[in-house]
Amino acid sequence: MVIRGVLFDFSGTLFRIESAASSLRAALTARGLALPPREEAALAAALDRAGALPGGSPALDVPAHLAALVARRDESAELHRAAYTALARTVALPDPALYEMLYDRHMAPEAWQPYADALDVVRALDSRGVRVGVVSNIGWDPRPVFRAHGLHPYVDTYTLSFEHGVQKPDPRLFAHACAALGVDPAEALMVGDDRRADGGAAALGCAVHFVDHLPAETRPDALRHVLTLALPD
């Protein structure tokens, strides 16, 4: 099988979001607030357990009244913001403004770190003539993150759930992605960290390869295997 296009997930695959502690600290600083270290650490841990940081840990226990909203969060920008700020509000923060600030923080390029091999891999694929796309369950446009970290010139297309009103694992999102890349699904490889969501590409006929959603410093070269799967003709 010849791979002519590679689709990458965004969060947990090409990039890793900062920790909840880092995100909270940035929001507190922007608000001009300072907390005792123990209190700050406890709030960060509670936000992490609540799944309040997009791209971070999933919620350990979604409150029943939020379950339907959280399940559809990636279908629109409005649902995405509503879901994550609602999860954050399950944690009592010292200033109500912090909930929206935390959400805004996760869209900042400096809140994201590319995995160490991400740039090399997308650049190598581009040099081989293999088309590269990003397909993500997300509620905002991540292009500024890719531009800030140097990956954007090597990405041909972005297929984002909130722009199509459908989220992975629905095969329709992968169909949009393949069409945008101009490749047949049978000639496409989907690379992601979520077996359920990213594995949905297999229903369309795409090959699928998984990487682990780990801190960037502990996963230096997991993406390089993609280069052995997407060999030139």
Side-chain angles (χ1 to χ4, degrees):
M1 178 180 64
V2 175
I3 297 298
R4 303 188 186 280
V6 178
L7 301 170
F8 288 97
D9 174 51
F10 166 48
S11 174
T13 300
L14 290 175
F15 285 85
R16 171 78 179 202
I17 189 66
E18 66 185 351
S19 67
S22 176
S23 183
L24 176 60
R25 191 172 304 114
L28 289 169
T29 299
R31 192 64 176 161
L33 298 173
L35 298 176
R38 284 190 177 182
E39 181 180 351
E40 183 179 314
L43 288 175
L47 288 167
D48 193 55
R49 290 193 299 272
L53 185 65
S57 302
L60 293 180
D61 186 17
V62 177
H65 71 285
L66 295 179
L69 173 63
V70 170
R72 298 183 55 216
R73 66 188 181 275
D74 297 312
E75 293 179 8
S76 74
E78 295 75 17
L79 289 172
H80 197 265
R81 180 180 285 271
Y84 281 105
T85 54
L87 288 170
R89 286 189 176 94
T90 64
V91 179
L93 297 179
D95 186 332
L98 290 170
Y99 299 110
E100 295 291 339
M101 293 177 71
L102 280 170
Y103 184 85
D104 291 339
R105 168 67 185 179
H106 100 274
M107 295 185 286
E110 58 268 26
W112 294 89
Q113 179 183 358
Y115 284 93
D117 53 349
L119 177 57
D120 288 346
V121 168
V122 296
R123 184 163 48 200
L125 291 171
D126 178 74
S127 71
R128 296 177 180 183
V130 177
R131 291 180 62 77
V132 173
V134 170
V135 55
S136 178
N137 280 352
I138 197 168
W140 51 281
D141 186 353
R143 288 175 180 85
V145 177
F146 282 79
R147 291 190 185 100
H149 294 282
L151 278 71
H152 182 66
Y154 310 105
V155 178
D156 296 293
T157 65
Y158 295 82
T159 303
L160 310 174
S161 62
F162 82 99
E163 293 181 336
H164 295 275
V166 62
Q167 58 190 21
K168 298 180 288 185
D170 193 313
R172 290 177 293 173
L173 195 64
F174 302 106
H176 285 305
C178 289
L181 269 191
V183 301
D184 187 278
E187 298 177 329
L189 171 67
M190 176 66 208
V191 182
D193 67 293
D194 188 318
R195 266 86 178 150
R196 177 179 176 273
D198 299 312
L204 199 65
C206 301
V208 181
H209 176 67
F210 296 112
V211 293
D212 293 322
H213 190 151
L214 297 171
E217 62 273 14
T218 67
R219 210 198 76 192
D221 57 5
L223 290 169
R224 293 193 187 279
H225 184 58
V226 172
L227 298 178
T228 69
L229 300 174
L231 296 172
D233 295 3

